Amino acid sequence: MRRAGRELLSLALIDARNHTLHLLSLYEQALGGETLAVPRVAGIDPPVWLAGHIGWFAEWWIGRNTQRAFGEECPVRPTRLAAIEPDADDWWNPAQRAPADRDAPGLPDLAQTKAYLLDTLESTLELLEHAAETDAGLYFYRLALFHEDLRGEQLLVMAQTLGLPLKVELPPAAVTRPPLSLPATPWELGLAEGGFAFAQDRGIERVDVPEFEIDAQPVTWSQYVEFVDDGGYDRPELWRTEGLAWLARQTEGRRGPRHVEQIGAARHGTGGSVLQQQFGRTVRAAGNRSAVHVAWWEADAWARWAGRRLATEVEWEIAAHTAARRGFRWADVHEWTAGTLHPWPGFRADPWSQGGEFDPQPAFGQARVLRGASFATRARLRSPKRRGFALPERDDGFFGFRTCAL
């Protein structure tokens, strides 16, 4: 999809919009009405506002952008036309509508928002028919597609955070396999010019990687329970100074990842018991399912407890590319890796991310890199080359981890 042409992009944009509308219908069922009113929680956007923002984003960068044909060379502030909806910027531009005001009276309701989503999709598809079949000509159409996919996963993360009973089908637990040994190899990280890429993926870094042993799958609940049973949360020697400070800030003495209600001792060879909130329901998590909603500090402490270390992003990428037939499994959870986010040689900011929510530049040297994908990630976003990132205290996303031998 990074290199998708007009015909494939058209189908994908329709699919993405249908998925957004489907997620809104799940919210309607869960909340029992069309207002979709949700509690005010830090980091949570009202779902109706977020849906309107998806349509606004596509129109902002495509329908209203007179310089869209320049692609990545487009100015950060191009000349823009008027919006389909005269109040669109006041309603859905995050630079003008502060998070605290995104559920204010007078904003469009669900029916109006759905109509706007259909209008903007129609406009986007009409313009796509006449776009140049080049990377520059199709850049903003690919961007709008991937942006909508990212927001779709955000809607599912929000529902989990709020405990909404969305009818979401989770993948079955898989068989666990022993760690894999991989030979030393030179490797090239990053994406060169050509096709769409997020800013943090652009550039090339060449690395010589020694032989290493890596888990075949992310750390499971059974493995995580052993850490808890062994007093992992009460052993300062397992935690970095910043991790201990983060742990001290958590309420009610945190003793497990977010959304865990009970995490019990291993009994009768079962690998322990985990009761976790999943979309508003308390369920018993299968022992061989990947541990999820783990902060980076917890992942790092677990690895130290186990006498292992978090995988680096280059080790993760090598295994994803070369060891799939040997049992390397990914796409259950986004996976924390050892290093901090940094730009690769050749990095350059793109016009849409600069100063926005997905701008990696303020996160360089602070955020940790996430690799892989989760069950909530659309298939076209699942790439072993893609880098996610988040601050190490984040645990709201579908985050897990895997380790390597020391």
Side-chain angles (χ1 to χ4, degrees):
M1 291 304 302
R2 290 182 55 243
R3 301 175 186 274
R6 286 196 301 255
E7 184 175 352
L8 185 54
L9 268 175
S10 179
L11 294 172
L13 285 162
I14 294 169
D15 171 73
R17 191 56 46 89
N18 284 338
H19 184 64
T20 297
L21 294 171
H22 169 66
L23 292 174
L24 290 176
S25 71
L26 293 181
Y27 267 83
E28 283 187 79
Q29 295 169 25
L31 294 167
E34 294 189 358
T35 60
L36 303 196
V38 297
R40 280 196 176 184
V41 176
I44 298 291
D45 282 322
V48 176
W49 183 89
L50 189 59
H53 171 73
I54 289 170
W56 171 88
F57 183 93
E59 189 186 18
W60 178 257
W61 285 112
I62 298 173
R64 299 171 59 187
N65 181 5
T66 64
Q67 294 165 280
R68 61 181 175 271
F70 289 101
E72 287 185 277
E73 302 300 326
C74 176
V76 176
R77 294 177 179 83
T79 306
R80 285 197 165 87
L81 304 174
I84 294 173
E85 167 51 61
D87 293 317
D89 291 339
D90 179 55
W91 288 343
W92 295 305
N93 185 345
Q96 294 182 216
R97 177 64 59 167
D101 296 327
R102 292 175 185 175
D103 58 355
L107 289 173
D109 61 17
L110 182 59
Q112 291 172 289
T113 302
K114 286 181 176 179
Y116 179 70
L117 286 171
L118 294 174
D119 288 343
T120 50
L121 176 62
E122 182 179 359
S123 171
T124 296
L125 295 177
E126 288 177 356
L127 292 169
L128 176 59
E129 289 181 6
H130 305 287
E133 196 91 27
T134 63
D135 283 339
L138 297 177
Y139 173 80
F140 284 108
Y141 299 92
R142 295 166 179 166
L143 168 62
L145 171 66
F146 292 129
H147 174 263
E148 188 154 1
D149 286 342
L150 289 171
R151 296 300 189 180
E153 181 156 359
Q154 183 181 347
L155 281 165
L156 287 170
V157 170
M158 284 165 42
Q160 169 71 341
T161 301
L162 295 169
L164 301 183
L166 262 61
K167 296 178 180 177
V168 177
E169 186 173 341
L170 299 176
V175 175
T176 56
R177 299 179 183 274
L180 304 168
S181 294
L182 278 76
T185 184
W187 197 258
E188 190 173 276
L189 288 162
L191 294 168
E193 297 297 321
F196 178 86
F198 294 104
Q200 66 271 17
D201 298 337
R202 193 67 87 184
I204 294 294
E205 183 165 281
R206 295 175 177 86
V207 188
D208 288 321
V209 184
E211 179 183 1
F212 63 97
E213 177 197 280
I214 190 169
D215 294 333
Q217 61 280 312
V219 168
T220 65
W221 279 122
S222 291
Q223 293 171 303
Y224 202 91
V225 166
E226 294 178 15
F227 166 72
V228 176
D229 287 352
D230 200 33
Y233 282 86
D234 298 305
R235 294 171 57 181
E237 71 274 14
L238 299 177
W239 297 77
R240 299 187 185 218
T241 302
E242 304 94 326
L244 283 173
W246 169 81
L247 195 58
R249 292 193 299 269
Q250 307 308 299
T251 58
E252 299 178 0
R254 180 161 171 146
R255 290 297 179 272
R258 188 172 185 168
H259 301 304
V260 167
E261 292 188 349
Q262 178 183 317
I263 186 162
R267 296 184 181 90
H268 309 301
T270 63
S273 173
V274 177
L275 296 181
Q276 186 183 41
Q277 281 281 331
Q278 291 180 4
F279 296 102
R281 297 183 302 117
T282 300
V283 301
R284 188 177 300 278
N288 57 346
R289 190 181 289 279
S290 302
V292 67
H293 296 299
V294 180
W296 189 91
W297 303 121
E298 292 170 303
D300 181 65
W302 189 97
R304 195 170 287 109
W305 166 83
R308 296 176 68 81
R309 59 178 176 82
L310 293 180
T312 65
E313 62 172 315
V314 67
E315 289 168 336
W316 190 97
E317 185 174 313
I318 290 170
H321 275 96
T322 66
R325 292 184 179 179
R326 295 173 54 196
F328 186 87
R329 191 180 82 239
W330 63 280
D332 296 344
V333 288
H334 297 280
E335 299 178 38
W336 292 113
T337 60
T340 55
L341 181 71
H342 67 274
W344 288 321
F347 166 85
R348 62 173 180 170
D350 51 38
W352 77 281
S353 68
Q354 294 185 55
E357 181 180 353
F358 297 102
D359 184 359
Q361 295 175 95
F364 287 150
Q366 300 181 55
R368 299 288 175 169
V369 176
L370 289 154
R371 285 305 195 108
S374 80
F375 72 92
T377 307
R378 301 307 305 277
R380 54 183 160 255
L381 270 180
R382 296 179 182 178
S383 166
K385 300 289 287 185
R386 180 180 157 226
R387 303 168 97 192
F389 60 92
L391 293 175
E393 62 265 25
R394 288 286 298 273
D395 58 7
D396 54 330
F398 302 112
F399 299 158
F401 66 102
R402 80 177 71 213
T403 65
C404 288
L406 293 175

